[in-house]
Amino acid sequence: MRKDKWAGHPWAALRPAIAGVLLAAASAGAGAAVNLGAYNVKLDETSVSGISSGALMAAQFGVAWSSIVKGVGIVAGGPYGCAQVPKPGSAYTNNLFTGYYYCMNRITAPDIAPLVTLTGTFAADGRIDPVANMARQKVYIYSGYNDGMVKQRTAVDPLANYYANYIAPANIYYKNNQRAGHAMVTDRATHQGCAATASPYLNNCGTDVAGEILNHVYGRLNARAGTPAGQLLEFYQSEFASTSSVSMSSTGRVYVPASCAAGQPCRVHVALHGCTQSHDTLGTQYVAEAGYNEWADTNNMIVLYPQTASRSYDFNGVFQDRNNPEGCWDWWGYNVDYDQNTSGNQNYATKKGAQVKAIRAMLTRLSGGYTGWTPTPAGGFGAPAGLAAQDSTHNRVDLVWTPVNGATGYNVYRGTCSGCAMTKLNATPVAGPSYANSGLGASTTYYYTVKAVDAGSVESAASATVSKATAATPPSCDAYRSNNYTHVDYESYTGEYRANAVCVNCYAYSRGGGSWIGYYNVYDSAPLVRIGSQYYVYGVCN
């Protein structure tokens, strides 16, 4: 009998619920869907972000279509192409278990070098845009240190290292100092606690991550709306893909502000949900509460919310890796039959990937009313306005400001006290109205000004000075979150057990720490923190 590769995986617990999920899927699209409209959208002003599997797809789309993607936001995602590299001791690539164990949930970080080589290979044969385009992208990365599903140290840190091969540090802001679990992080009071890892995976950590992503990509935006006044429309995704074949819902969602509906110049932000967050599962909760629509409403921005669908038909046979019971985006190759593969299973992360192609086609439709406009800031050349330090970690500060008419770049200056002399931080002018200052000391206040630079290398007057204190150094935390079968099962990729149990459905205890974590089965799950080799305790880090 063929071994069931899903045994012990967190998704195994979903098998009894598949029928219910499909029933929910049938009822979720019961509204009045429309064809996706065409608006006055400039395609190369597009940005994309995502959470979890949506974050991995956002990275894939941003690399594949770097010619049109201005910026990328990654919340709890791993490096591009990581399921392409076998886990130690295995010859298999491009399957869920390579991704799950090698990319997300291991003790040591994967090697980035093969992923950089792979990216170059894809660019050379035209499956992705030239990698030189990525240099202009602004990237915002978020990882909570209690995320035991997509681990900070061994999944998200490698993502930041991957991007560093193509993008200057000033364009990459990495927020990694909050105690968040696995979730899209907001400042919405009705969302669950910051350290939670549970449905609907929307956590209140006091940080508006959607807003920080958009401001980092585009510069200082108008203040968000209290209540969005635009339209949240359901549209037919079946115009853009054979949705049932490629694990996408027959309909998607799009938020259209009144200004964009009226034909004003607009941008598009693509916001990709995570596993178990599609409208088939959550209805409109994610698309309404992730935080993007409030910013879109006041900044001439359409938000495109493509939607996945679950697909489960073969847990034990030769097509196991084509299963997608949680409605994740394809970042390990489950659409192998629809990605135009000619050698191996690699194209899901390229322009040929079925889901990448579908999203790109949606953007083409949205930009169908483009009138030829280009972004032109109001006013004349002068000192940048609106400088703000929108966020800080223990070693970074993220600066944003309003774009200046006639500026070809910006110089950023930093001081260590009010009234002190400022030192220019950049060797060449910064492209775009944001700057991530890294390498800072914890619990220290820094002072900043910015000057615009024109085509003749003439500097403007300085902006107003802003100050920002860095945060305290966060705790070192090695978090794991899985079902108890996986915690107890021998992890061949690490050589460690996380928990002990004497029989199935017996009590399970964390290895070393001896904490009771529930029953040894795929239905009970627990958060664990690794203290040392073969030593785990129940709970999360403070």
Side-chain angles (χ1 to χ4, degrees), residues 32 52 57 68 81 95 108 114 119 136 171 207 245 268 279 294 341 349 357 425 429 492 505 518 524:
S52 190
M57 177 56 76
I68 65 168
N95 61 64
T108 57
T119 305
R136 72 183 183 93
N171 283 357
T207 299
S245 297
V268 176
H279 63 189
E294 291 83 350
N341 292 293
K357 287 172 64 178
L425 298 178
S492 60
N505 287 323
D524 284 10

Side-chain angles (χ1 to χ4, degrees), residues 41-65:
V41 162
K42 192 173 189 325
L43 200 55
D44 62 4
E45 286 286 307
T46 298
S47 57
V48 59
S49 67
I51 158 71
S52 190
S53 71
L56 285 143
M57 177 56 76
Q60 290 174 182
F61 194 87
V63 172
W65 284 104

Side-chain angles (χ1 to χ4, degrees), residues 13-251:
L14 289 181
R15 296 191 203 189
I18 287 171
V21 170
L22 295 177
L23 178 62
S27 61
V34 299
N35 291 331
L36 187 62
Y39 303 91
N40 189 8
V41 162
K42 192 173 189 325
L43 200 55
D44 62 4
E45 286 286 307
T46 298
S47 57
V48 59
S49 67
I51 158 71
S52 190
S53 71
L56 285 143
M57 177 56 76
Q60 290 174 182
F61 194 87
V63 172
W65 284 104
S66 58
S67 59
I68 65 168
V69 174
K70 190 180 184 76
V72 182
I74 304 290
V75 181
Y80 177 84
C82 62
Q84 304 273 356
V85 179
K87 67 179 182 285
S90 171
Y92 296 104
T93 62
N94 306 317
N95 61 64
L96 173 63
F97 278 70
T98 299
Y100 179 70
Y101 290 117
Y102 189 68
C103 301
M104 295 167 53
N105 208 313
R106 46 184 281 130
I107 291 175
T108 57
D111 184 8
I112 296 302
L115 307 183
V116 174
T117 300
L118 186 75
T119 305
T121 299
F122 287 165
D125 65 21
R127 279 184 279 179
I128 64 174
D129 284 338
V131 296
N133 294 330
M134 294 171 65
R136 72 183 183 93
Q137 291 180 341
K138 301 283 188 175
V139 174
Y140 181 106
I141 302 170
Y142 185 97
S143 173
Y145 57 74
N146 277 310
D147 188 343
M149 296 182 72
V150 181
K151 291 165 56 61
Q152 184 176 106
R153 185 171 53 83
T154 59
V156 191
D157 286 359
L159 167 73
N161 294 336
Y162 170 84
Y163 273 125
N165 285 274
Y166 308 100
I167 301 171
N171 283 357
I172 303 171
Y173 185 69
Y174 182 13
K175 185 163 180 64
N176 59 354
N177 68 316
Q178 289 191 303
R179 64 189 302 267
H182 188 71
M184 178 64 188
V185 167
T186 74
D187 59 356
R188 191 181 289 260
T190 56
H191 287 163
Q192 61 193 352
C194 188
T197 295
S199 183
Y201 302 98
L202 291 163
N203 289 11
N204 175 18
C205 296
T207 299
D208 173 24
V209 167
E212 291 197 355
I213 290 170
L214 296 176
N215 279 271
H216 181 72
V217 171
Y218 294 113
R220 184 77 181 269
L221 298 174
N222 297 325
R224 59 181 165 172
T227 302
Q231 290 183 293
L232 184 57
L233 303 173
E234 186 172 14
F235 69 92
Y236 294 111
Q237 291 190 145
S238 51
E239 288 191 279
F240 307 103
S242 176
T243 51
S244 60
S245 297
V246 301
S247 203
M248 292 180 70
S249 175
S250 61
T251 61

Side-chain angles (χ1 to χ4, degrees), residues 129-483:
D129 284 338
V131 296
N133 294 330
M134 294 171 65
R136 72 183 183 93
Q137 291 180 341
K138 301 283 188 175
V139 174
Y140 181 106
I141 302 170
Y142 185 97
S143 173
Y145 57 74
N146 277 310
D147 188 343
M149 296 182 72
V150 181
K151 291 165 56 61
Q152 184 176 106
R153 185 171 53 83
T154 59
V156 191
D157 286 359
L159 167 73
N161 294 336
Y162 170 84
Y163 273 125
N165 285 274
Y166 308 100
I167 301 171
N171 283 357
I172 303 171
Y173 185 69
Y174 182 13
K175 185 163 180 64
N176 59 354
N177 68 316
Q178 289 191 303
R179 64 189 302 267
H182 188 71
M184 178 64 188
V185 167
T186 74
D187 59 356
R188 191 181 289 260
T190 56
H191 287 163
Q192 61 193 352
C194 188
T197 295
S199 183
Y201 302 98
L202 291 163
N203 289 11
N204 175 18
C205 296
T207 299
D208 173 24
V209 167
E212 291 197 355
I213 290 170
L214 296 176
N215 279 271
H216 181 72
V217 171
Y218 294 113
R220 184 77 181 269
L221 298 174
N222 297 325
R224 59 181 165 172
T227 302
Q231 290 183 293
L232 184 57
L233 303 173
E234 186 172 14
F235 69 92
Y236 294 111
Q237 291 190 145
S238 51
E239 288 191 279
F240 307 103
S242 176
T243 51
S244 60
S245 297
V246 301
S247 203
M248 292 180 70
S249 175
S250 61
T251 61
R253 306 281 174 157
V254 62
Y255 181 79
V256 183
S259 58
C260 299
Q264 293 185 23
C266 285
R267 298 158 162 152
V268 176
H269 180 77
V270 183
L272 300 168
H273 63 76
C275 306
T276 72
Q277 286 185 318
S278 76
H279 63 189
D280 291 348
T281 303
L282 296 183
T284 61
Q285 185 175 13
Y286 184 83
V287 300
E289 297 182 9
Y292 296 101
N293 301 342
E294 291 83 350
W295 289 97
D297 216 40
T298 55
N299 290 281
N300 285 28
M301 190 179 300
I302 293 169
V303 187
L304 177 66
Y305 295 99
Q307 300 290 302
T308 61
S310 62
R311 183 176 71 193
S312 304
Y313 57 86
D314 180 50
F315 280 105
N316 297 308
V318 296
F319 299 119
Q320 292 180 58
D321 293 329
R322 291 159 170 82
N323 286 301
N324 184 27
E326 290 196 334
C328 300
W329 290 99
D330 187 6
W331 61 275
W332 67 86
Y334 64 67
N335 279 327
V336 57
D337 302 311
Y338 305 97
D339 290 338
Q340 299 178 273
N341 292 293
T342 56
S343 176
N345 175 14
Q346 299 178 319
N347 281 345
Y348 63 88
T350 74
K351 292 180 178 182
K352 293 186 176 183
Q355 292 177 352
V356 172
K357 287 172 64 178
I359 295 169
R360 181 62 175 84
M362 294 174 197
L363 289 171
T364 298
R365 172 70 61 79
L366 287 171
S367 64
Y370 178 54
T371 62
W373 64 274
T374 57
T376 305
F381 182 77
L387 176 63
Q390 72 162 351
D391 194 79
S392 67
T393 69
H394 59 294
N395 58 7
R396 298 177 183 88
V397 168
D398 196 26
L399 301 171
V400 298
W401 58 90
T402 304
V404 174
N405 193 358
T408 57
Y410 302 90
N411 290 330
V412 179
Y413 294 81
R414 185 184 70 203
T416 56
C417 65
S418 178
C420 290
M422 297 275 189
T423 301
K424 189 171 77 166
L425 298 178
N426 50 292
T428 59
V430 175
S434 68
Y435 185 89
N437 188 200
S438 57
L440 303 177
S443 304
T444 303
T445 299
Y446 295 91
Y447 298 79
Y448 298 92
T449 63
V450 175
K451 298 179 182 180
V453 180
D454 68 11
S457 299
V458 175
E459 276 194 330
S460 72
S463 70
T465 300
V466 299
S467 63
K468 188 70 171 180
T470 52
T473 301
S476 176
C477 185
D478 193 4
Y480 292 81
R481 181 66 185 243
S482 187
N483 67 61

